[in-house]
Amino acid sequence: MSEWKQLISEWIAEYSSLQENEIKSFAAEHEHNHEIATALFNLFYCEEETEVNSHSKNPPENSEEMLDQVCTQLFSFYRSKEVELQRFTLQFVPTLIYNYLSSVARGNLKSCRCIETLLIGLYNFEVVDENGKPKVVSFRLPSLAQPSIYHEPLSLGPQFLTENALRRWEECNTKLVSWGPLSQVEVINAQNRLKVMSALYFIYNRQLSLLPKLALRHFCIAASRIVTQGFHKKIGGNKSTPRIPVSPNFLLEMIEGAYFAMFNEFYTLALQAVKDIDKRAQYELFPEVMLVTSAVINSLKNNSSGQPCDGPMGISVALSPATTTVTMSKSMITNASFRTKKLPGKMYIHILIFFTCNLPGFSLSYSVFL
Amino acid sequence: MTSRSKNAVRIYETEIDKSREESNWKKVVDLAQQLKARSPQHESLAHFLIGEGKLEAFLEEWPPTKENIERAQRELSEARGYLTLATDDAGKRAGVALDAHLLLGKLNYACGAYDDALKHYKLAELNTLTEKELPVRSIRIVAESYAIKGLCLEENAVPGSTSRYKQAEKEAETIRSFELASDLTLLYLQRAQAAGARAGPTLETALQRVPILHIRAGRLQNAIDRYRSMLTAVESASTQALRLTLTRQLAEVLMRGVTGQVYKAPVQLTVVPQQGTLTRRREDHVSEGPWKPKKYAGINQFVPRNEYEEVVLLLLVGEAMAVRDAVLSQSAEFEAARKHSLENAVAVIDLLALAAARWGQLCLVLESLERAMKFSFGCAHVWRQRALATAAAAPANPRPLHHEHLVPGSNAWSAGIRAHSVMKRATPLSPDDAPLRLVAANTCYNMGWIEDGIVLAEEALALQERDEGPLLARACLYAGIGHQMKAQKTNSRIEKESENETSLKLLLRSVQIDDNDHLAFYYLALQYMYLGMLNEAMDATRSCLAARAECGGGLRLATALWSCACAGPRATRALAAARLARHHYPTADWPLWALAALQLTWESGEAALATGKELLTLLNGAEAEAEADAEHNGYTELDALSDSQHADTHSNRDAASIRAESAGVYRVERALSDAASSAATTRARHRPRAQPRAQAWLLLADLCLRLGRVSAAAGCVSEAAALTPFSHLVLYTRGRVHAASGEWEEARTCFQNALAIHPTHLDSIVQLGAAYYNLGWLRLAEKSLREAAALEPSRADTWRRLSLVLAALGECGAAADAAAAALHLQPHAPSVPHHHLPL
């Protein structure tokens, strides 16, 4: 236990003694320094455990002090221009968020002031760009009506040239889907807390593929803890822990990261996190979150999609089934070979069904009177 | 040789070529045997063809997989013989030897002899083939050769771990082979479009293998480039299934491996106009070389610029392809194909849900799910997803007189209808799904269809009771909420009592099962408050705040409860609660309403006025913010359920103004202002948040009235009237201004007008009674007040005034009774004036 504390103290001392010109090399070797990262994760978890037993006789004074120093240092990492150092800080964000939200739910704000300050700092840093203007992440919504490098509208059939598709094409360049602009905050209160946290998750998610793998593990653990805290009564404990409030967007960002972790070495933990989120969404009745969690869970059952066990990133060779032989496909009706047409009529609705078969020059047409 | 036989040979050749392209191998063998008999100098060619025919015919039935190796070894000896014959000197002269070697490679691969296969490819000089135009059949042979070469190299790579350098070289060779094979395959499938050609397992494996090898080696970008180069190839009938797989896989790779800075956008093909052609027309498809497939190159193409665009594009294209290929036939023989196509479509839609929901683009998912209805035939998952998506689009919380109105015909209304009707179909398909039913119940409550909601919530409750599910407490809660709403809605006393009782039972059960649920405690407290059991309500509120200290609804209840007259001198606690709420929710308006009202009573009028002004600034400032919020459909402001489902948490009055009626009020008001605005065009009638701002002005007017500043109050009322000229609240407050200056005749008209718009507005009825009393029309006053008392018997003020009227009429006994009732009810009257609380 004291071993990692030692490590952290050294780490704090080392950074404070750095010269301006040494920071670059310090940053370069820092990014994959698992030892110190593990030690810091330990510190954050230990912090949380001492809170649970807050009635214990000797409050760990030095640990709190250390947390304060660590937060300060992590923030100065973030403000440095070194991306490696920024990323180093970023990997702790989910754990810090959990730590913070858990403390707030317990009404223990005092113990997490330094974390709160760090999170506000990160948030304010990230919602503006270099020029201090509010940052916006946006993209165009593609429309099938517009040809793309991957398709031609006509070959997909007329059913996709819907009104919506055409409208989306028209608005493609003007109406962007976007995140932000978000305003900077001075304090976190009940009203903006989850907005700030969702934004931090969003920022974290944008860097997922660059973060050390270890961070993903802690992401999953933190996610599970956030959504399940206060749901399982501890045996013997008479007072249950308050639950952590959540919002749909907050959970959606969480699923995004969990999905990524699922296919990057942490299948079991990430799946557990998604299931926990699913349960919580059901409890809170967030239909949009339930939609996404059940989509993820279903895609893991569905053989058509790439499974985590299927090899790297769940991608495997999926051969088209041999069952669709040519003779069969001739008589099989698919969406593409099926057309309905309504003709105006006073007494009858004429429905013409054309079965166009795959062979050119060989087509039958039936007209059915209903 | 006679010219006739030459002709015959030529006819044979074209026939054979045709059959080969059509993969009609039996005919090829027949024709080749005839050719061999007729023209001995074509013997090598004939041997080659017979060997080819036999080999391909066998492989069509028994694809070259590991299980079939033994059979291949047994049955392919004849083909091997013929092909070997074709590789002799005569064969070389006839130009079939190289092709024969290529086929022998394939044959050996099928027999499991990977080294031999590689040897034959060396003999066929596969490495040094020049890229030139080839006939369709040859493209296939070459493509297969490269594919098999790659596969053989992979098979051999397992034991031979000689040196790292060699291994890397081998891997590079494997990938190069696969890449050539996949380009040629796509080219082949594009060229052979008419013949209904299929790629077959070998070529498909080669195609899909390359990116996987890249990913495994950690070269994600190469894998992505490879996927892109395959997907930008023009689709042909036989590549459809393959493209669907590739589209989904690329989307998966992007979602699972690429974020932010790592992403590199694809580059659009630059089209070089062909030299020497007369037409200036741009080609829609271009090819980069004789061995490359044609690619999409139309003008005005959508080229993704970031990962979100590419993922969404891929998923939309993939979904369209999956839907196009979806099997509609229901008969048993197509069951497997149907299932496969459905799974393909669902896989893409699931990914789309994941990618789009985060950006609030549920409409995309909803459109896809609706298209899937055509072929998913009662698939529970698809229906459930659709039900959830429509529920998410339905109005989230009922604020009858706030933002958008739930009037039939409005968007919110039709979204609610849609959610409800989809849910009706979806629930029977998932018979054990309690959460789905609770979502459905919630939608119903939000739409004001309380009875439907109760039915669904009770279904969920029964399911959870049966399974002892984790949502049992919540199912009780939602059923309880339904009964509570019903009790509030009904005007029949007996029904009200029984609903109240059921609700209380359910809510008590809910908190008993789960003593950590703030929402259950909140509704319990609310229920106690409706029943006038204020101490119990306070206890429940305390539990609510213990479970969630910042619960907005709980703070609101605490404010209301502490402000009740029976709380006496503890009203400072109400002020503290309101201030705390203010601290937690700085941009919410209700803490300020409450604070202003409380300050008036317990602090100074000046302080209350200051708070009221603050409120007005807040609402004016909130305008811009609310608009911005609505645009990127942001988060629900407060704890959605606890704070907005029952917006008028304060009151145990005004139960009479039920939802349906307030909707009616809205409509009348709307119709009036529409009529007015056609005359005065400058009227700001659709200004956002006009309602709450008007109400803030009315609050100020009320404060001024209580402070005795009648003229200032009149000014506030006219400000409010400018915003919502036909609101009953404006008319009501104007009436009170008139009353304050003793203009009873004008006041009476105002109250009557208010009642014309909102016939059960309790405050107006009571004030009308007061106006009649002051005008000396005592019987009319009594009638009004009795009407008010019938609508809401637990309001002390009504009885107090009634006793005055009755006393003036000389009915002393009745007056005494009324006064007693007033005294009895007085402790429950909250000092927070409720008529200003937004409904």
Side-chain angles (χ1 to χ4, degrees):
Chain A
M1 178 125 171
S2 57
E3 215 171 275
W4 55 258
K5 280 194 179 161
Q6 181 76 26
L7 203 63
I8 293 175
S9 320
E10 280 170 17
W11 171 71
I12 292 169
E14 190 190 349
Y15 183 67
S16 55
S17 66
L18 278 183
Q19 300 293 315
E20 193 72 19
N21 52 358
E22 293 169 339
I23 289 189
K24 257 208 151 51
S25 58
F26 177 77
E29 69 183 66
H30 213 84
E31 206 190 351
H32 297 288
N33 190 344
H34 291 308
E35 254 177 33
I36 187 68
T38 314
L40 288 173
F41 277 120
N42 267 338
L43 173 74
F44 297 139
Y45 285 127
C46 144
E47 197 51 34
E48 182 240 331
E49 259 142 47
T50 52
E51 263 165 43
V52 177
N53 320 318
S54 51
H55 302 294
S56 59
K57 280 160 202 157
N58 44 344
E61 276 295 320
N62 63 347
S63 159
E64 209 159 279
E65 200 177 300
M66 183 176 272
L67 187 68
D68 202 30
Q69 286 175 334
V70 166
C71 287
T72 317
Q73 178 149 338
L74 285 177
F75 188 55
S76 72
F77 273 18
Y78 211 81
R79 277 190 315 185
S80 76
K81 297 251 156 58
E82 305 303 321
V83 278
E84 290 89 354
L85 290 183
Q86 291 183 350
R87 236 174 263 150
F88 183 80
T89 299
L90 201 60
Q91 67 175 319
F92 300 106
V93 164
T95 312
L96 288 168
I97 288 178
Y98 161 64
N99 206 317
Y100 169 65
L101 289 181
S102 167
S103 305
V104 172
R106 290 197 178 96
N108 212 344
L109 249 175
K110 244 180 259 160
S111 72
C112 60
R113 280 283 175 225
C114 55
I115 298 182
E116 186 179 65
T117 316
L118 172 62
L119 291 177
I120 293 178
L122 293 187
Y123 171 85
N124 286 340
F125 190 88
E126 281 289 343
V127 294
V128 293
D129 60 12
E130 304 81 45
N131 308 322
K133 295 247 173 61
K135 203 195 270 182
V136 179
V137 179
S138 62
F139 67 91
R140 299 168 297 161
L141 207 57
S143 160
L144 287 183
Q146 183 187 9
S148 79
I149 53 169
Y150 297 135
H151 85 290
E152 271 170 354
L154 284 179
S155 68
L156 291 176
Q159 73 241 46
F160 296 99
L161 289 176
T162 56
E163 199 183 319
N164 279 342
L166 290 170
R167 184 176 41 76
R168 221 176 285 136
W169 185 13
E170 224 162 67
E171 293 169 347
C172 179
N173 289 310
T174 49
K175 209 172 158 194
L176 301 179
V177 180
S178 54
W179 174 87
L182 298 176
S183 46
Q184 293 190 315
V185 298
E186 280 163 27
V187 284
I188 295 188
N189 49 41
Q191 211 171 6
N192 65 13
R193 183 169 294 122
L194 286 171
K195 282 187 202 178
V196 171
M197 298 304 140
S198 316
L200 285 171
Y201 259 131
F202 180 87
I203 293 155
Y204 177 87
N205 283 342
R206 274 170 62 80
Q207 305 265 359
L208 275 173
S209 53
L210 294 169
L211 294 171
K213 294 281 188 247
L214 184 73
L216 293 179
R217 187 187 136 80
H218 291 282
F219 173 90
C220 298
I221 295 174
S224 276
R225 288 195 187 184
I226 288 174
V227 293
T228 55
Q229 174 173 311
F231 279 89
H232 308 292
K233 258 193 190 165
K234 282 199 192 96
I235 301 154
N238 50 356
K239 200 171 160 273
S240 34
T241 331
R243 289 164 191 167
I244 298 177
V246 291
S247 71
N249 280 40
F250 183 68
L251 293 183
L252 286 174
E253 289 300 331
M254 228 182 228
I255 301 169
E256 183 77 11
Y259 185 77
F260 189 90
M262 201 176 277
F263 294 92
N264 288 276
E265 297 177 26
F266 296 103
Y267 174 65
T268 321
L269 276 174
L271 180 62
Q272 189 55 47
V274 171
K275 283 183 176 163
D276 289 338
I277 295 170
D278 185 46
K279 265 194 207 139
R280 184 65 189 263
Q282 292 181 356
Y283 173 84
E284 303 278 351
L285 294 192
F286 292 152
E288 60 272 59
V289 184
M290 285 165 73
L291 176 78
V292 179
T293 46
S294 52
V296 172
I297 293 170
N298 186 64
S299 77
L300 295 174
K301 284 185 210 147
N302 188 337
N303 288 323
S304 290
S305 20
Q307 304 294 313
C309 54
D310 280 347
M313 274 186 194
I315 306 294
S316 68
V317 176
L319 300 180
S320 27
T323 46
T324 46
T325 52
V326 183
T327 44
M328 243 175 106
S329 55
K330 264 182 207 162
S331 54
M332 190 165 67
I333 306 165
T334 68
N335 228 345
S337 62
F338 181 80
R339 308 257 186 287
T340 53
K341 233 174 222 173
K342 266 189 194 153
L343 298 175
K346 278 177 188 165
M347 303 287 284
Y348 303 103
I349 306 163
H350 305 258
I351 298 177
L352 295 176
I353 305 168
F354 296 104
F355 295 101
T356 44
C357 291
N358 290 348
L359 281 182
F362 175 72
S363 71
L364 285 167
S365 69
Y366 301 98
S367 59
V368 183
F369 292 90
L370 291 180
Chain B
M1 200 195 294
T2 64
S3 69
R4 212 176 128 237
S5 73
K6 236 183 197 165
N7 253 350
V9 169
R10 201 165 300 137
I11 289 168
Y12 273 124
E13 277 179 349
T14 47
E15 273 290 295
I16 289 172
D17 269 351
K18 201 169 148 242
S19 305
R20 283 177 79 199
E21 274 182 31
E22 287 168 5
S23 304
N24 192 347
W25 300 114
K26 223 175 140 204
K27 198 170 173 194
V28 171
V29 174
D30 282 351
L31 289 168
Q33 258 150 1
Q34 289 173 35
L35 177 72
K36 188 182 167 189
R38 286 189 90 133
S39 127
Q41 74 269 43
H42 288 99
E43 200 179 23
S44 297
L45 178 62
H47 285 156
F48 169 75
L49 290 172
I50 296 169
E52 180 189 36
K54 289 193 184 283
L55 173 67
E56 296 292 350
F58 172 82
L59 289 178
E60 217 162 66
E61 201 173 346
W62 308 100
T65 56
K66 293 240 159 101
E67 303 91 71
N68 293 337
I69 284 179
E70 272 184 42
R71 181 183 290 272
Q73 282 166 349
R74 273 201 314 276
E75 295 183 16
L76 282 178
S77 52
E78 204 183 344
R80 185 192 294 271
Y82 279 112
L83 286 172
T84 320
L85 278 179
T87 58
D88 60 8
D89 287 342
K92 272 178 199 147
R93 274 195 301 281
V96 293
L98 296 187
D99 283 2
H101 276 302
L102 291 178
L103 287 179
L104 277 169
K106 184 171 174 182
L107 191 147
N108 279 314
Y109 171 71
C111 296
Y114 306 124
D115 280 329
D116 291 343
L118 288 174
K119 247 176 245 161
H120 278 291
Y121 288 136
K122 203 166 258 173
L123 287 171
E125 296 158 27
L126 187 60
N127 264 348
T128 51
L129 281 182
T130 44
E131 294 193 17
K132 59 173 188 199
E133 295 278 351
L134 292 171
V136 176
R137 169 67 192 158
S138 304
I139 298 178
R140 182 171 179 122
I141 294 182
V142 177
E144 279 185 333
S145 304
Y146 277 116
I148 291 172
K149 186 180 170 195
L151 290 168
C152 290
L153 283 171
E154 271 204 294
E155 286 292 338
N156 279 0
V158 184
S161 55
T162 41
S163 77
R164 189 163 286 185
Y165 173 71
K166 272 226 161 123
Q167 239 177 1
E169 200 180 25
K170 198 174 209 174
E171 203 205 313
E173 179 71 21
T174 314
I175 287 178
R176 200 185 81 91
S177 303
F178 280 146
E179 284 185 350
L180 279 167
S182 52
D183 281 345
L184 284 166
T185 308
L186 293 172
L187 181 65
Y188 164 70
L189 292 172
Q190 284 176 353
R191 289 277 230 35
Q193 212 157 359
R198 289 160 46 84
T202 318
L203 292 178
E204 270 194 34
T205 311
L207 265 170
Q208 298 185 26
R209 196 88 194 125
V210 192
I212 296 177
L213 288 176
H214 280 307
I215 297 174
R216 190 170 286 165
R219 293 183 299 261
L220 205 54
Q221 193 53 46
N222 294 19
I224 292 169
D225 289 342
R226 195 61 221 159
Y227 275 122
R228 283 177 183 156
S229 87
M230 293 193 281
L231 282 172
T232 48
V234 176
E235 181 183 63
S236 61
S238 38
T239 54
Q240 289 178 352
L242 192 70
R243 282 173 57 84
L244 172 56
T245 309
L246 293 174
T247 312
R248 200 204 66 236
Q249 286 183 342
L250 178 52
E252 282 174 343
V253 168
L254 290 173
M255 290 170 87
R256 296 167 182 179
V258 179
T259 53
Q261 292 98 325
V262 185
Y263 179 82
K264 284 200 188 71
V267 270
Q268 190 173 15
L269 273 181
T270 44
V271 190
V272 190
Q274 276 184 334
Q275 295 289 310
T277 45
L278 287 172
T279 49
R280 285 280 177 86
R281 203 172 64 84
R282 273 186 59 140
E283 290 289 318
D284 276 353
H285 305 147
V286 292
S287 176
E288 294 158 309
W291 279 18
K292 298 274 185 210
K294 277 189 184 155
K295 305 212 163 180
Y296 291 119
I299 42 167
N300 202 2
Q301 267 187 338
F302 184 89
V303 186
R305 289 186 205 138
N306 56 42
E307 71 268 35
Y308 312 116
E309 286 180 2
E310 190 166 7
V311 166
V312 175
L313 173 66
L314 283 165
L315 291 174
L316 287 178
V317 172
E319 187 252 351
M321 292 196 289
V323 167
R324 184 187 53 192
D325 301 340
V327 178
L328 300 178
S329 307
Q330 292 266 32
S331 57
E333 54 178 322
F334 303 125
E335 189 51 37
R338 199 174 79 80
K339 190 161 168 275
H340 182 80
S341 70
L342 178 60
E343 275 181 358
N344 275 339
V346 171
V348 178
I349 295 173
D350 281 343
L351 287 175
L352 188 63
L354 178 63
R358 185 177 170 222
W359 293 95
Q361 297 300 318
L362 278 178
C363 52
L364 286 184
V365 189
L366 201 55
E367 277 174 35
S368 303
L369 287 165
E370 261 156 28
R371 277 194 286 268
M373 288 294 111
K374 196 170 169 189
F375 55 88
S376 58
F377 307 116
C379 166
H381 176 69
V382 176
W383 273 98
R384 184 176 191 267
Q385 294 291 83
R386 185 163 169 234
L388 290 173
T390 47
N397 39 46
R399 297 189 182 181
L401 284 173
H402 246 208
H403 298 294
E404 202 181 355
H405 280 273
L406 288 181
V407 272
S410 70
N411 282 341
W413 180 267
S414 45
I417 297 264
R418 188 155 71 149
H420 189 49
S421 41
V422 173
M423 203 57 98
K424 266 192 205 151
R425 297 268 164 198
T427 40
L429 291 171
S430 319
D432 298 325
D433 199 336
L436 190 64
R437 284 169 175 76
L438 289 180
V439 171
N442 197 26
T443 311
C444 288
Y445 292 160
N446 290 344
M447 294 297 295
W449 306 320
I450 300 167
E451 285 81 3
D452 291 341
I454 292 177
V455 171
L456 285 158
E458 278 173 353
E459 263 178 52
L461 179 58
L463 283 174
Q464 289 290 304
E465 267 171 348
R466 191 193 68 194
D467 306 336
E468 296 186 0
L471 288 176
L472 183 55
R474 279 266 153 146
C476 286
L477 169 62
Y478 282 103
I481 293 175
H483 286 290
Q484 189 178 59
M485 289 172 83
K486 203 172 167 194
Q488 292 300 303
K489 180 183 166 183
T490 180
N491 281 335
S492 140
R493 193 184 164 85
I494 298 169
E495 201 183 351
K496 211 181 190 91
E497 273 171 11
S498 80
E499 292 297 335
N500 270 330
E501 197 183 331
T502 325
S503 169
L504 186 62
K505 238 186 246 167
L506 284 163
L507 292 171
L508 280 171
R509 184 166 167 216
S510 174
V511 298
Q512 195 187 0
I513 301 167
D514 182 359
D515 65 355
N516 202 13
D517 185 357
H518 72 286
L519 204 60
F521 280 113
Y522 168 76
Y523 277 99
L524 182 63
L526 203 60
Q527 182 63 25
Y528 277 132
M529 201 162 88
Y530 288 146
L531 296 174
M533 300 156 79
L534 298 191
N535 287 327
E536 287 84 351
M538 197 68 227
D539 287 343
T541 308
R542 282 205 188 95
S543 304
C544 166
L545 290 173
R548 180 165 299 177
E550 291 167 345
C551 170
L555 288 171
R556 207 163 166 170
L557 273 181
T559 314
L561 287 169
W562 284 126
S563 74
C564 277
C566 63
R570 282 168 291 190
T572 42
R573 297 195 190 176
L575 278 167
R579 289 212 164 95
L580 187 63
R582 165 101 227 273
H583 168 75
H584 284 318
Y585 300 95
T587 59
D589 47 11
W590 59 266
L592 286 172
W593 294 111
L595 194 59
L598 288 165
Q599 278 173 330
L600 184 67
T601 326
W602 300 99
E603 283 175 6
S604 69
E606 293 309 315
L609 269 182
T611 313
K613 277 175 194 152
E614 213 177 312
L615 173 67
L616 204 58
T617 357
L618 174 81
L619 287 172
N620 283 332
E623 208 171 292
E625 209 175 292
E627 272 174 288
D629 241 25
E631 226 168 70
H632 44 265
N633 51 55
Y635 313 79
T636 35
E637 278 270 306
L638 308 173
D639 185 359
L641 269 168
S642 61
D643 290 296
S644 350
Q645 194 156 55
H646 276 278
D648 61 340
T649 44
H650 275 256
S651 48
N652 40 14
R653 58 104 223 181
D654 217 14
S657 71
I658 55 167
R659 263 156 235 281
E661 281 169 31
S662 31
V665 173
Y666 171 72
R667 250 170 287 159
V668 172
E669 197 188 318
R670 183 70 176 267
L672 285 172
S673 37
D674 278 352
S677 70
S678 57
T681 42
T682 48
R683 178 84 65 216
R685 72 191 162 102
H686 287 310
R687 262 209 262 155
R689 292 178 71 84
Q691 195 89 36
R693 279 161 62 208
Q695 286 181 353
W697 280 112
L698 292 178
L699 172 80
L700 284 175
D702 183 56
L703 294 175
C704 291
L705 277 179
R706 291 181 184 219
L707 292 169
R709 300 187 192 166
V710 179
S711 59
C716 291
V717 172
S718 47
E719 285 287 344
L723 288 161
T724 55
F726 299 101
S727 157
H728 63 282
L729 291 174
V730 170
L731 292 168
Y732 161 76
T733 318
R734 183 172 288 152
R736 285 190 53 214
V737 172
H738 284 303
S741 34
E743 301 157 0
W744 293 108
E745 187 53 42
E746 287 85 350
R748 181 185 64 92
T749 325
C750 284
F751 294 134
Q752 274 173 339
N753 285 342
L755 285 172
I757 292 171
H758 190 335
T760 55
H761 185 234
L762 209 58
D763 292 316
S764 293
I765 301 178
V766 173
Q767 290 294 336
L768 181 63
Y772 284 142
Y773 173 72
N774 283 300
L775 285 165
W777 305 347
L778 296 180
R779 283 293 167 201
L780 273 173
E782 187 195 347
K783 187 186 153 282
S784 289
L785 290 170
R786 286 211 186 274
E787 194 188 335
L791 276 169
E792 180 51 69
S794 61
R795 185 179 153 129
D797 186 40
T798 317
W799 295 105
R800 185 178 64 78
R801 288 179 195 271
L802 187 59
S803 84
L804 286 178
V805 172
L806 289 170
L809 279 167
E811 297 173 15
C812 297
D817 283 348
L823 276 175
H824 175 68
L825 289 167
Q826 183 57 29
H828 291 183
S831 75
V832 179
H834 11 259
H835 51 258
H836 284 305
L837 285 168
L839 278 163

